[in-house]
Structures are given as structure tokens and as C-alpha cells.
Amino acid sequence: MSARRALLVPGAALWADGRPRAALRARLATALDEARHDPEALILVSGGAVNTEHSEAAAMARWLEAEGLPKERLILEEQARSTTQNADLALPLLVSRGIRSVTVVSQPFHAQRTHFNLRVAARHAGVPLAIDVRHAPLPPPHDPLRW
């Protein structure tokens, strides 16, 4: 599939069994909504096995596929263990597919940091990249299982 735009969803905590927690599900639901409005956009999910034996990227891909997103629209980056690595490791995957426009999908406190890191990585690589942000909602503060 050839696309000029991608959605970048950085990982977040998983349950021990590999299911996404509330904050990550909110990112995924927001990305899925955005993807439905732009059927040509790819979704790059980024995150390694940070706090469990499960890759965050694989968990995100499973969730998105279960919600009906075709596998062909997914790009998995399964090594990142930080926001900086999300950007650094996602960039070559985007560039190799000719993608020059990226929407970062995350909660407000995290999206700006991801945007900054991706912008720095692109600048250092000499890659022209348009980057914008779509904020995912925060889990309710009273939800003890939110993160």
C-alpha cells in the first residue's frame, strides 16, 4: 500500500497479559477514528516490550485489527523503549515508505514530546516531514486502572 500520510501511535503500559491499558486504548481509538476519516493513511504503532514480555506494538496491532483495521495499513516498530526511541526508530520506517506527513496520536502531555522528538529526528536526518498532533483523551482520574 502506498501512502503519503501516517498516524504514529507511541506505546504505553500494557497489562501483564499483553492487553492495552486505558490510556493506550484511548490512543488507539483516536487513531482508529482518524484512520476511518483517511482510508489511505497508514498507522505506525511503536513500542517494544517495556514492562511486560509483550511488545506494545504487537498489542496495539492486535487491538486495531480486532476493531476492523486491515493488517495492510499497519506498520509495527517493536524495539522502542522510550519516547525518543519511538521517534528515532519510527522515522526510517516512514521514510522507506515515502511518507512525508505524520500525525502523532497521544494524550496532550505526551503528544507534544513525541512531536518534538520526531521533528528533531527528521531534522538530523535531513528529512522534510510535516508533523501534526491529534490528542487522545485522558482516562478518567477516578479510574484506578487508567494507566
Side-chain angles (χ1 to χ4, degrees):
M1 172 175 258
S2 172
R4 291 200 167 283
R5 178 172 180 248
L7 309 170
L8 170 60
V9 185
L14 302 174
W15 292 110
D17 65 3
R19 290 177 296 123
R21 291 186 181 204
L24 186 52
R25 286 193 315 272
R27 292 178 193 181
L28 294 170
T30 302
L32 186 61
D33 180 61
E34 189 76 15
R36 287 180 173 146
H37 286 92
D38 184 353
E40 297 298 315
L42 299 177
I43 299 181
L44 193 158
V45 290
S46 175
V50 179
N51 294 317
T52 72
E53 63 186 33
H54 304 279
S55 150
E56 293 169 354
M60 290 188 278
R62 281 192 302 273
W63 191 95
L64 289 164
E65 286 178 50
E67 293 295 318
L69 190 79
K71 189 176 197 167
E72 305 79 55
R73 292 186 65 189
L74 291 169
I75 306 168
L76 277 69
E77 183 291 301
E78 297 186 86
Q79 302 304 312
R81 298 179 56 82
S82 68
T83 304
T84 301
Q85 288 182 350
N86 288 137
D88 291 345
L89 297 173
L91 185 63
L93 298 173
L94 297 166
V95 170
S96 70
R97 288 164 175 81
I99 294 168
R100 295 294 183 258
S101 177
V102 177
T103 299
V104 173
V105 180
S106 192
Q107 283 76 17
F109 70 90
H110 188 248
Q112 297 308 321
R113 194 170 69 230
T114 306
H115 178 283
F116 173 79
N117 287 327
L118 188 57
R119 189 179 68 209
V120 168
R123 185 176 298 144
H124 285 157
V127 174
L129 191 64
I131 308 167
D132 65 342
V133 170
R134 172 92 190 269
H135 290 146
L138 292 168
H142 62 278
D143 182 352
L145 306 177
R146 68 191 196 145
W147 302 106

